[in-house]
Amino acid sequence: MQRDLKQLADTPFDITVIGGGIYGAAIAREAALRGLTVAVIDKGDFCCATSANSLKIIHGGLRYLQQADIIRVRESVRERRAMLRIAPHLIRPLPCLMPTTGVLKSKAAMLAGVLANDILSADRNRGVDADHRVPRGKIISRRELEKRLPGYRGPGTGAALWNDAVANDTERIVVEMVQSATSAGACTANYVACRGFLTKNNRITGVRVQDMLTQEAFDIRSKLVINAAGPWSNQILEKLDGEVAPLPYDLALGMNAVLKQELIPTYAAGLPCQEPGPDKGRLMFIVPWRGTTMAGTFYRHHTDAVDAMQPTDADTVRLLSQLNSAMPSAQLTPDHVARIHAGLLPCKPGHSAESDPKLLRHYMLIDHAQRDSVDGLITALGVKYTTARDVADRTISLAACKLDKAIRPSSSATTPLPCGNTDILHAVRNEMAQTLSDVVYRRTGLGATSIPDDATLQATANTMAETLSWDAPRIAEEIARARNPLA
Ligand SMILES: Cc1cc2nc3c(=O)[nH]c(=O)nc-3n(C[C@H](O)[C@H](O)[C@H](O)COP(=O)(O)OP(=O)(O)OC[C@H]3O[C@@H](n4cnc5c(N)ncnc54)[C@H](O)[C@@H]3O)c2cc1C
């Protein structure tokens, strides 16, 4: 996959996708697999934002049973199955435990939930490799819970044991989705920012963009534009100078910590936060991940500019305090933290900064011709990594109607991702890596569990420098930037 800006500028496309997170990548792949011509751009690297910073859980839907939301349970089961089928090299089943407490989460209630979940997910393993099949759930005793969660002294008569899935590397999934889209004919480029829209007769006919590596501006022409810019969706719509009303969402910062040690082997645990206040009872997840632990999630309102997302030390202290309340034996301090992952999520508007953000539960798929009388623009704003493929499928079905084009049936749930090579030079030559951070954090997994030490950053930068003709000041600049993956 090569960054071909001449092709981007010279080819009229059916669709331009703005944003190369999981949503933009899945939409571009869906479009290309179904026979549409498509371009996808990101102002940074692919998967440089929220999609890199999730808790990595590919949800199976048990949580939605509590809300009796059967449609969402089925949606999650389908999507977990699809991800296990297309990316078995990056996703594996994850056994999860949640203590049984009180009445609503008693053993009897959770048994009913686990059984209902098994029935609703009867087809969960269709087409999934034998070693990636998701087992049934069950209820276990308090003694078994303590055996599986060494050191757990919190409440619980026993536990529900069910299965979700976990991604080893959410960044590589996105890069491989982009590769899959490229192999199916998509034109893809990172470091190309949308700066405005091209319009003709009250219809959008493409986007004005800027190459962030050379600062040169050019146009991409297409019959439709899909805004898949995640937390930046409203910022993209603002470029239409008030012709389109902003979408009704505020932003919440979500944050997880990668802990240096594996707190619990094998099982993920959903343990209720015991801190008094609005978070009491909210499940904190402790997930074994690449020999370490991913733990969270802490949420707060984000009221600064969307580009100014930076978790503070105080946020880390709050997150650790919530985790310690859920699992006091962990005694976590900032010294236990190897890396912080943080991203912005859409939440319900109109809540005060002091209250807890209420995350949006449903994706938005908006045809701006219907909503704002601006033709040629769709916004797809998702709320979960897990369901991006499903939203992409719906988005491209809508796009095909608008383009009045017959397209092939969707094959994105069964077409395997390319299972790429994680060699440094391969990333530079064949996967569009432009910076040291691209290689370290989004191609090779070198920085997945901790920020690499200076010797590793230096050696990696030196290797890249030979191919990319970096001089000494550029190498130093790349290393400085790679020390803060959230900057
Ligand atoms: C802490 C946390 C934990 C989470 N845990 C889970 C989980 O366990 N499971 C789960 O399913 N989901 C989880 N989520 C939710 C999930 O991560 C998000 O729903 C998903 O990643 C959003 O993807 P996206 O593509 O919409 O956004 P993003 O990944 O943010 O992508 C948007 C892209 O648009 C680009 N862009 C912005 N402006 C422009 C422009 N002008 N021109 C070009 N490109 C532009 C950005 O650079 C960015 O790359 C979690 C989220 C957070 C924050």
Side-chain angles (χ1 to χ4, degrees), residues 203-439:
R203 212 198 131 77
I204 287 172
T205 56
V207 284
R208 182 89 180 135
V209 299
Q210 185 175 22
D211 176 0
M212 300 307 285
L213 304 179
T214 63
Q215 310 310 319
E216 267 176 44
F218 63 97
D219 295 340
I220 304 174
R221 285 164 299 130
S222 60
K223 293 177 195 146
L224 256 184
V225 173
I226 298 177
N227 172 12
W232 288 264
S233 295
N234 272 339
Q235 200 186 61
I236 296 290
L237 298 180
E238 280 168 17
K239 298 183 194 305
L240 283 160
D241 296 329
E243 280 183 60
V244 168
L247 302 178
Y249 69 85
D250 285 347
L251 289 172
L253 180 142
M255 178 174 155
N256 297 307
V258 183
L259 306 176
K260 289 175 188 159
Q261 79 276 39
E262 192 175 67
L263 273 189
I264 311 165
T266 316
Y267 296 90
L271 306 176
C273 171
Q274 302 293 347
E275 272 190 352
D279 282 310
K280 188 164 169 85
R282 188 168 64 76
L283 290 186
M284 304 301 293
F285 278 89
I286 296 168
V287 182
W289 187 70
R290 299 176 78 131
T292 67
T293 303
M294 178 78 75
T297 300
F298 162 74
Y299 298 103
R300 68 160 161 81
H301 284 277
H302 175 83
T303 45
D304 294 334
V306 62
D307 285 305
M309 193 273 309
Q310 188 70 10
T312 62
D313 289 348
D315 292 332
T316 305
V317 169
R318 289 283 318 279
L319 167 63
L320 295 179
S321 160
Q322 292 184 349
L323 288 167
N324 283 331
S325 80
M327 192 166 182
S329 60
Q331 298 271 317
L332 297 173
T333 69
D335 285 344
H336 292 95
V337 177
R339 246 197 94 172
I340 289 292
H341 287 252
L344 297 177
L345 287 160
C347 65
K348 287 188 185 162
H351 283 78
S352 73
E354 294 79 43
S355 67
D356 245 17
K358 303 272 179 282
L359 300 184
L360 292 193
R361 288 182 50 207
H362 295 286
Y363 66 85
M364 294 185 201
L365 178 55
I366 290 163
D367 177 357
H368 291 279
Q370 301 288 325
R371 179 178 180 264
D372 305 286
S373 304
V374 172
D375 211 358
L377 179 64
I378 292 173
T379 293
L381 175 62
V383 294
K384 286 280 169 206
Y385 194 101
T386 306
T387 39
R389 193 215 61 85
D390 178 62
V391 175
D393 180 348
R394 292 165 197 270
T395 306
I396 292 308
S397 298
L398 171 63
C401 281
K402 292 189 62 66
L403 292 166
D404 200 18
K405 271 201 162 185
I407 55 170
R408 295 193 278 269
S410 178
S411 60
S412 56
T414 51
T415 305
L417 294 184
C419 189
N421 179 337
T422 53
D423 173 68
I424 290 166
L425 288 178
H426 178 81
V428 174
R429 290 179 184 146
N430 304 307
E431 293 185 340
M432 267 189 232
Q434 313 288 337
T435 71
L436 180 58
S437 292
D438 297 350
V439 164

Side-chain angles (χ1 to χ4, degrees), residues 1 45-47 169 171-172 175 190-191 421-424 427-428 430-434 437-446:
M1 110 185 162
D45 189 22
F46 301 118
C47 204
D169 193 330
E171 294 89 330
R172 274 227 65 93
V175 169
N190 51 3
Y191 296 100
N421 179 337
T422 53
D423 173 68
I424 290 166
V428 174
N430 304 307
E431 293 185 340
M432 267 189 232
Q434 313 288 337
S437 292
D438 297 350
V439 164
V440 166
Y441 297 112
R442 294 177 284 275
R443 301 295 186 287
T444 59
L446 272 174

Side-chain angles (χ1 to χ4, degrees), residues 105-128:
K105 288 184 182 160
S106 65
K107 274 188 174 171
M110 291 308 296
L111 176 63
V114 162
L115 289 177
N117 192 46
D118 284 342
I119 292 165
L120 286 168
S121 64
D123 55 357
R124 62 189 176 273
N125 291 320
R126 204 176 57 211
V128 174

Side-chain angles (χ1 to χ4, degrees), residues 22-23 42-43 50-51 55 57 59 194 254 383-386:
I22 187 67
Y23 277 82
D42 198 291
K43 73 184 173 83
T50 329
S51 302
L55 189 62
I57 293 188
H59 300 284
C194 168
V383 294
K384 286 280 169 206
Y385 194 101
T386 306

